[in-house]
Amino acid sequence: MSTRLADVTAPPRPRPPAEADFGRVRQEVDAALGEFLDAQARDPADRCLPPLVGVLREFVRGGKRLRPLFCYCGWLAAGGDPSGGPVARAGAALELFHSFALIHDDVMDSSDTRRGRPTVHRQLAARYQGDDEPSAARFGVNAAILLGDLCLAWADEMLLTAGLGEDDLRRASPVLHAMRSEVMAGQYLDLAGEWTEDVLDRSWRALRLKTAGYTVERPLQIGAALAGGTPALLRWCSAYGRPLGEAFQLRDDLLGVFGEPGTTGKSVLDDLREGKQTVLMALTWRRAGPRQRAVIRELHGAPGLDEDGAARLRDVITATGAEDVVGELIEARAREARGALDSAGLPAVARRAFAELVHQAIRRTR
């Protein structure tokens, strides 16, 4: 049964009409990140840290800032001031948490590129003082793990210094803690840490925990909680955010195999070389015949997979109809999110912002 938010949330304080300006929100998040990293470089715990801050500054450049945008929209849904205020810095803290997750994910996946640039562990390996390539690679991985840990610690520091009240932080803390635990569980499942014959079930669970929850649902709830949103509003954030987050990741799975590297900034070989058990590949396996499964066994997860092998795998994915099924799932999840939006008594500015985010999440090309 749909929840009518107009019945369960306190009416927002009267204020002049305003529009959500996503460009401005991104700029404010970028500015908050820049100021924070400048401060870390000016007054470091040790002089070894400023060069790492420089690596991180380059890494965070060019991100889509989806999590801060969803956090801002949750803030709007609870009647928060469209001008934003401290929610931009809270969103920047989420971006640092996202950086932690990406840096560690690239280490675990042995990825070479991220956003069209070398991954952090590759950049740090190139800074190793010596000619021993295995030692340089090991140094890059270990240093990247530490830099990811710093991002996790700094995300807390940024949130605690965002100018939020104690009550705001108390309301948001349970959601923040849940998000962090879910990301770790999702990453473990993504590594096939749980043995199961039902690979499709594990793929769905990893998708929901690792990406859908922490990309859309939880940032929405954090923003709503920071603006004093009721438990009913936070439940609505789940009704809207979960299907949209699933659509976002399903789209990402397609881009990881069929996207344009010049646009996505990531090789279309990485997911296939790693043998990543996405919903797309789990559906392909389930629908494949014996000869097609032989191709998947031979090539999916092959470290030396080349473009010809990837093309053979793409042919199998397309021939089984899995690519089309994932496209249909994306549209179905988007309809579910729009249906939740249609049933909600949101402030007009929030409704328009939420509708725009549905479009951005499922039509994206990177």
Side-chain angles (χ1 to χ4, degrees):
M1 180 178 295
S2 299
T3 301
R4 295 288 302 181
L5 293 185
D7 298 332
V8 295
T9 59
R13 296 182 299 275
R15 59 175 56 89
E19 290 298 322
D21 185 344
F22 289 159
R24 177 183 57 77
V25 173
R26 289 189 177 97
Q27 289 174 359
E28 291 180 357
V29 169
D30 288 346
L33 284 169
E35 291 168 4
F36 182 84
L37 293 178
D38 285 346
Q40 297 301 324
R42 279 196 309 270
D43 187 22
D46 185 87
R47 64 176 180 269
C48 70
L49 289 182
L52 292 178
V53 172
V55 172
L56 181 58
R57 192 191 307 277
E58 180 66 15
F59 181 76
V60 300
R61 181 175 61 84
K64 294 181 284 291
R65 309 295 186 243
L66 279 175
R67 288 151 196 86
L69 289 180
F70 281 112
C71 182
Y72 173 69
C73 283
W75 169 272
L76 290 180
D81 187 343
S83 66
V87 74
R89 193 170 173 89
L94 288 177
E95 199 68 14
L96 277 180
F97 178 80
H98 182 46
S99 296
F100 143 76
L102 291 182
I103 291 169
H104 282 198
D105 188 59
D106 286 340
V107 167
M108 285 182 265
D109 291 344
S110 299
S111 297
D112 293 324
T113 60
R114 166 76 65 178
R115 298 170 181 160
R117 302 187 293 272
T119 48
V120 167
H121 63 280
R122 299 297 186 208
Q123 291 183 47
L124 293 173
R127 296 178 176 223
Y128 181 73
Q129 299 299 311
D131 298 327
D132 184 353
E133 289 188 9
S135 294
R138 186 165 59 252
F139 167 79
V141 164
N142 292 341
I145 292 170
L146 290 173
L147 185 54
D149 291 345
L150 263 179
C151 289
L152 182 58
W154 285 346
D156 269 352
E157 183 177 339
M158 243 193 133
L159 186 62
L160 291 172
T161 58
L164 296 159
E166 290 185 8
D167 288 344
D168 302 327
L169 293 170
R170 177 182 49 78
R171 287 191 301 268
S173 289
V175 183
L176 185 65
H177 296 326
M179 178 187 74
R180 290 174 170 175
S181 296
E182 289 163 359
V183 168
M184 306 307 172
Q187 181 65 40
Y188 183 73
L189 290 171
D190 197 40
L191 294 171
E194 177 193 75
W195 187 90
T196 177
E197 292 184 355
D198 192 346
V199 176
L200 182 58
D201 171 72
R202 185 177 62 199
S203 298
W204 272 116
R205 288 160 58 204
L207 177 152
R208 288 166 180 149
L209 290 166
K210 182 184 172 184
T211 305
Y214 110 99
T215 299
V216 182
E217 178 189 3
R218 295 307 190 184
L220 280 174
Q221 290 180 328
I222 290 169
L226 291 175
T230 65
L233 177 57
L234 268 62
R235 289 193 295 272
W236 179 85
C237 288
S238 292
Y240 167 90
R242 284 180 185 172
L244 185 58
E246 290 177 13
F248 176 90
Q249 182 56 43
L250 290 169
R251 180 67 178 154
D252 196 68
D253 291 348
L254 287 177
L255 290 172
V257 176
F258 295 100
E260 291 292 335
T263 302
T264 63
K266 188 175 181 179
S267 168
V268 289
L269 297 179
D270 284 355
D271 287 357
L272 298 176
R273 279 178 179 161
E274 293 157 17
K276 189 165 287 189
Q277 289 294 346
T278 61
V279 169
L280 173 66
M281 289 309 302
L283 284 170
T284 299
W285 177 262
R286 180 169 287 191
R287 298 166 68 90
R291 291 185 179 178
Q292 293 168 321
R293 288 190 172 187
V295 173
I296 296 170
R297 287 192 191 96
E298 175 191 356
L299 298 175
H300 190 226
L305 183 73
D306 57 15
E307 290 288 353
D308 289 340
R312 289 175 62 195
L313 273 173
R314 291 188 197 102
D315 287 344
V316 169
I317 295 168
T318 302
T320 62
E323 181 185 5
D324 291 336
V325 171
V326 169
E328 292 166 3
L329 287 169
I330 291 170
E331 294 298 330
R333 296 304 192 272
R335 285 194 299 273
E336 188 177 346
R338 291 191 187 102
L341 183 57
D342 290 341
S343 71
L346 293 170
V349 61
R351 176 183 294 277
R352 289 189 290 271
F354 276 101
E356 173 60 23
L357 284 175
V358 175
H359 178 78
Q360 287 191 22
I362 68 171
R363 301 300 177 196
R364 67 194 184 93
T365 57
R366 65 184 183 97

